[in-house]
């Protein structure tokens, strides 16, 4: 947080800390810029009217570094809003003083959400089937599919190794674990369930006499 009014900084810090954020406060533009470069924060709450360097200039310099940390500008005046909008940096937000600390916290959360989309490596795609490892969501032809935990793990394992064929025994040990007291028939049952839920776009292929693979048909 870069804010030169101590009373505002104190209140905001209290609310942000209570919401689980670790906050560092700087009270000047150059101090804020240096701290942003040093600490690489997840988000910056940035006052516009600051000693030493304007908040918009702090933003401009960070962007010139290639730093796209989400910024929530705090401003008291209309002419400052014009300057913020003039930055056209995209994605940044502003809030006008006087503001409620609760709203600042909410806006910071929104900024973080927009700044952190799922990493591409978290999403496996095969034809019309998408599997998101981080949220454990699956969709088929754009429609959400409700899989059990084991069905998800099985599909994830197969989709993580495109076109590789795995035996039922291998899948049992990798997906169910070595201690699983189930037979290989369990794999067939779960494959059938996953296929049933994914419908025509299912990427799971039966390799006769060997096992299963996932590939784009
Ligand atoms: Ca100020």
């Amino acid at each position: 947080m870069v804010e030169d009014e101590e009373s505002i900084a104190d209140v905001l810090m209290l609310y942000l800390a209570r919401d689980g954020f670790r906050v560092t406060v700087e009270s000047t533009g150059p101090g804020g810029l240096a701290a942003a470069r040093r600490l690489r924060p997840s988000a910056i709450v940035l006052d516009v009217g600051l000693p030493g360097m304007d908040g918009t200039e702090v933003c401009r310099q960070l962007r010139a570094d290639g730093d796209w940390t989400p910024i929530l500008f705090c401003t008291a005046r209309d002419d400052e809003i014009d300057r913020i909008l003039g930055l056209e940096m995209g994605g940044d937000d502003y809030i006008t003083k006087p503001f409620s600390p609760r709203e600042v916290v909410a806006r910071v959360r929104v900024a973080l959400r927009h700044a952190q989309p799922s990493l591409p490596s978290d999403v496996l795609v095969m034809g019309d089937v998408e599997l998101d490892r981080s949220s454990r969501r699956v969709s088929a032809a754009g429609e959400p599919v409700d899989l059990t935990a084991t069905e998800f793990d099985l599909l994830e394992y197969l989709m993580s190794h495109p076109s590789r064929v795995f035996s039922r025994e291998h899948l049992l040990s990798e997906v169910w674990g070595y201690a699983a007291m189930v037979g290989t028939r369990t794999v067939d049952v779960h494959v059938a369930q996953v296929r049933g839920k994914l419908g025509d776009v299912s990427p799971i292929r039966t390799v006769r006499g060997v096992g299963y693979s996932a590939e784009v048909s």
Side-chain angles (χ1 to χ4, degrees):
M1 183 194 317
V2 194
E3 173 61 71
D4 61 323
E5 282 174 65
E6 215 174 311
S7 58
I8 294 179
D10 286 349
V11 172
L12 282 186
M13 184 143 171
L14 197 74
Y15 273 78
L16 286 164
R18 209 176 58 182
D19 222 54
F21 293 99
R22 214 170 68 207
V23 188
T24 300
V25 181
E26 292 288 334
S27 58
T28 68
L33 182 61
R37 286 173 171 159
R38 191 175 67 245
L39 301 169
R40 314 290 307 195
S42 311
I44 304 171
V45 179
L46 182 60
D47 187 23
V48 177
L50 287 168
M53 186 193 292
D54 198 87
T56 55
E57 183 56 27
V58 173
C59 173
R60 203 174 279 124
Q61 295 208 21
L62 286 174
R63 299 312 188 226
D65 293 348
D67 183 334
W68 294 95
T69 306
I71 294 176
L72 176 62
F73 287 102
C74 300
T75 174
R77 304 200 313 265
D78 286 350
D79 60 318
E80 290 181 344
I81 295 173
D82 290 342
R83 256 185 292 156
I84 296 164
L85 297 177
L87 286 172
E88 286 184 27
M89 293 298 185
D92 293 319
D93 196 6
Y94 70 89
I95 188 164
T96 50
K97 294 177 181 176
F99 43 68
S100 87
R102 266 177 231 285
E103 192 177 357
V104 173
V105 173
R107 297 277 200 100
V108 168
R109 288 215 168 281
V110 169
L112 288 173
R113 224 171 20 242
H114 290 163
Q116 295 175 326
S118 310
L119 297 171
S121 61
D122 277 352
V123 180
L124 303 173
V125 180
M126 233 173 228
D128 281 333
V129 175
E130 269 190 43
L131 180 148
D132 188 330
R133 288 165 157 157
S134 56
S135 65
R136 291 183 69 85
R137 287 201 182 110
V138 174
S139 69
E143 293 294 318
V145 176
D146 196 19
L147 298 183
T148 66
T150 306
E151 289 165 2
F152 180 93
D153 293 342
L154 174 64
L155 183 63
E156 183 194 8
Y157 190 81
L158 290 169
M159 285 180 70
S160 303
H161 306 86
S163 302
R164 276 187 56 190
V165 183
F166 296 106
S167 68
R168 291 167 178 79
E169 290 78 11
H170 180 94
L171 291 171
L172 263 187
S173 72
E174 290 298 321
V175 178
W176 277 260
Y178 287 98
M181 301 295 286
V182 292
T184 51
R185 173 95 185 100
T186 303
V187 178
D188 299 328
V189 171
H190 279 78
V191 165
Q193 281 162 355
V194 173
R195 278 180 173 152
K197 290 179 180 180
L198 295 180
D200 293 342
V201 297
S202 168
I204 303 179
R205 189 168 69 97
T206 304
V207 182
R208 196 169 295 208
V210 187
Y212 297 103
S213 73
E215 55 197 72
V216 185
S217 50

